[in-house]
Amino acid sequence: MDISGLLGTASTSYTHSNNPISLSTKSGEKVSLPELCRSVTPPCRLNPLLYNGHLQTFWTVFKNQDVPICYKRKVFEADDPRYAGTFAVDFVVKAYDDTEVDMPSRTTHFNGDEFEGVRSLDSKPMLVTLHGLSGGSHELYLRHVLAPLVSEDGGWEACVVNSRGCAMSKITSGVLYNARATWDVRQVVKWLRRQFPNRDLYGIGFSLGANILTNYLGEEGSQCNLKAAVVCSNPWNLEVGSLALQRSWLGLEVYSKTMGSNMKKLFESHVEQISQNPRIDVDRVRNVKYLHEFDRELQGPTWGYPTEGAYYRDASSSDSLLAVRIPLYAIHADDDPIAVKEALPYEEFKQNPFAVLCSTTKGGHLSWFESGGGRWFAKPATGFLMKMAKDINLSQLSQDHIFPLAADANPDAEGPHFDPMRRKLQIHVEP
């Protein structure tokens, strides 16, 4: 009898290309991307009392461990008229005692002089972070990753791009975000590249933020300004995930209902602005119960999708994975009850030499609680990022491969080709 499961040990497996990219270390050695990922991933030993994905995920409600991270907030004005409005970015700073009304804990706005002095010529690595559905920079799962990186020993800088309306931020354009809302992170990365020309930039996304980040990486392709990225508990195929939630009582009445309720609260906090959108029927939004109903009544009309299914198919990141051209490490639990296993793009991982999927048999959704109170996923996530920043010469990313991907096909060449980033949503701006 295998008692490892009873002791909280989860099995770990990896999915990747048979011909992965080769990375050069700063000492001149070569290491493949899967070898690097394995080297930074410790055994997955979790709290044996939280023996399945539901218990792991439920524990996030009760686990109240404090991981102190302080932020200063800057509100950006969108530079693309197609996505007009404002969004908030929270920058990790040294601890301070100030507080500010109508702001999350340990978060205040930059004053003018402070923000003017942000620009730096230092070469510290910097992390761009995307949170999960209706979350924000205050989320505990996010701070578990940031804390060791921004510590004195870690030496990183970091920021969190809050989705519009989240983390007590204001919206000014009458629309919230969606699952493929890559425009704000794109603007932030470009801004960071100008402000910190000597810093290597990295990315990490959690849950819906992982989906957005993967879409962004695919859209940017080989021109991406990020050096490497991590995604945790990515839902990947949103339609498959939504249908899976609707098939069970727990999925529908607990997870979907809770996420739908959270989005309705977010909607109500910005209803004055959102109600100005003539496509939105406020009463219909207020009457929804589940997440897919919310997406049907708000996301669909806002962005012009006829159904929530059309929105999910267009915003999913499973195809975008094929177009990613920087090292990407994905961490997922097989028993995740929200970002379900059947939605994982295993075959796409096998086709992309730039990506590695680490799957654990246990862990739940953004959980992986250990007996000592820590969260296991933070170890491979931070280990991967630190290894990339300290030991890998990313300026010499091996180009020895001829990547046989349809995503790299020349659209002008004869014969059929597949474009994983072709999007159905078209946004026009009145002249």
Side-chain angles (χ1 to χ4, degrees):
M1 178 181 177
D2 182 9
I3 65 170
S4 60
L6 297 177
L7 298 177
T9 301
S11 299
T12 304
S13 61
Y14 298 86
T15 305
H16 53 80
S17 167
N18 289 330
N19 187 30
I21 59 171
S22 178
L23 302 168
S24 298
T25 67
K26 293 179 180 177
S27 62
E29 299 175 345
K30 293 283 188 179
V31 60
S32 72
L33 181 60
E35 290 171 339
L36 183 146
C37 292
R38 289 174 184 270
S39 72
V40 300
T41 303
C44 185
R45 298 190 178 99
L46 307 178
N47 188 330
L49 298 178
L50 306 175
Y51 53 82
N52 63 33
H54 297 299
L55 292 174
Q56 280 279 343
T57 304
F58 294 162
W59 193 242
T60 60
V61 178
F62 304 104
K63 186 62 178 176
N64 213 12
Q65 180 184 10
D66 188 26
V67 181
I69 296 287
C70 291
Y71 300 101
K72 285 286 187 176
R73 174 170 294 182
K74 171 62 178 177
V75 177
F76 285 78
E77 184 78 34
D79 58 10
D80 189 330
R82 294 174 297 177
Y83 314 110
T86 57
F87 60 95
V89 180
D90 293 340
F91 293 80
V92 177
V93 297
K94 293 181 179 180
Y96 59 87
D97 295 327
D98 294 344
T99 59
E100 190 170 329
V101 177
D102 296 329
M103 290 281 280
S105 175
R106 300 191 183 99
T107 306
T108 62
H109 286 93
F110 276 112
N111 63 41
D113 292 338
E114 285 176 331
F115 192 69
E116 287 299 320
V118 162
R119 191 176 191 278
S120 174
L121 295 177
D122 69 50
S123 57
K124 296 179 181 179
M126 185 162 192
L127 185 64
V128 180
T129 311
L130 301 184
H131 59 78
L133 181 74
S134 70
S137 59
H138 58 281
E139 295 288 357
L140 185 57
Y141 59 77
L142 180 155
R143 288 183 279 138
H144 270 284
V145 171
L146 293 185
L149 292 175
V150 301
S151 67
E152 187 173 341
D153 290 338
W156 284 59
E157 299 289 341
C159 67
V160 182
V161 182
N162 293 298
S163 293
R164 298 192 187 192
C166 291
M168 303 177 72
S169 63
K170 308 297 182 183
I171 66 170
T172 57
S173 60
V175 296
L176 293 173
Y177 56 97
N178 68 37
R180 199 166 174 174
T182 57
W183 36 87
D184 290 345
V185 66
R186 177 172 293 103
Q187 179 176 335
V188 170
V189 170
K190 289 181 178 178
W191 182 87
L192 291 172
R193 183 72 288 139
R194 294 191 301 269
Q195 296 298 311
F196 308 106
N198 298 324
R199 288 183 182 176
D200 284 342
L201 305 178
Y202 299 82
I204 189 168
F206 301 91
S207 192
L208 190 73
N211 189 79
I212 295 172
L213 180 59
T214 305
N215 280 325
Y216 165 77
L217 299 178
E219 290 170 357
E220 295 296 299
S222 60
Q223 303 303 311
C224 187
N225 279 314
L226 300 181
K227 292 293 187 181
V230 177
V231 289
C232 298
S233 300
N234 188 347
W236 294 105
N237 188 319
L238 303 180
E239 185 173 38
V240 169
S242 177
L243 294 175
L245 287 175
Q246 296 175 54
R247 282 201 302 266
S248 70
W249 185 88
L250 273 176
L252 186 64
E253 297 297 333
V254 177
Y255 300 117
S256 183
K257 187 176 180 180
T258 298
M259 291 186 289
S261 176
N262 289 340
M263 290 306 293
K264 282 178 65 177
K265 291 176 184 177
L266 190 64
F267 167 80
E268 289 294 345
S269 66
H270 304 288
V271 67
E272 182 177 348
Q273 294 84 7
I274 297 174
S275 62
Q276 297 175 14
N277 187 333
R279 294 183 174 188
I280 303 303
D281 186 322
V282 173
D283 291 334
R284 290 179 69 92
V285 177
R286 283 175 168 161
N287 287 330
V288 305
K289 188 176 182 180
Y290 307 111
L291 180 61
H292 65 276
E293 294 176 338
F294 179 88
D295 290 335
R296 179 188 303 156
E297 300 298 342
L298 189 128
Q299 296 289 28
T302 297
W303 301 101
Y305 292 109
T307 65
E308 70 270 27
Y311 161 56
Y312 293 151
R313 290 188 293 273
D314 197 35
S316 293
S317 60
S318 48
D319 283 349
S320 300
L321 173 61
L322 291 168
V324 173
R325 293 296 178 270
I326 65 169
L328 175 65
Y329 192 25
I331 304 170
H332 209 95
D334 290 343
D335 65 355
D336 190 322
I338 296 173
V340 295
K341 181 179 179 180
E342 64 190 276
L344 266 66
Y346 292 104
E347 294 304 315
E348 284 74 11
F349 272 100
K350 294 176 184 178
Q351 289 292 321
N352 191 341
F354 287 88
V356 172
L357 169 65
C358 171
S359 302
T360 60
T361 52
K362 299 180 179 182
H365 187 70
L366 287 180
S367 302
W368 287 282
F369 286 103
E370 300 171 311
S371 296
R375 292 167 96 156
W376 175 85
F377 75 89
K379 296 175 181 177
T382 57
F384 176 81
L385 293 167
M386 288 181 174
K387 189 77 171 179
M388 283 289 177
K390 292 182 179 180
D391 296 341
I392 301 301
N393 190 345
L394 289 170
S395 64
Q396 295 183 6
L397 185 62
S398 175
Q399 299 298 322
D400 296 338
H401 302 76
I402 300 175
F403 302 110
L405 298 180
D408 291 327
N410 181 356
D412 297 325
E414 293 185 5
H417 72 279
F418 174 72
D419 179 3
M421 300 315 300
R422 181 170 62 91
R423 191 175 187 185
K424 298 180 178 70
L425 177 66
Q426 301 294 323
I427 298 179
H428 302 285
V429 178
E430 294 296 329

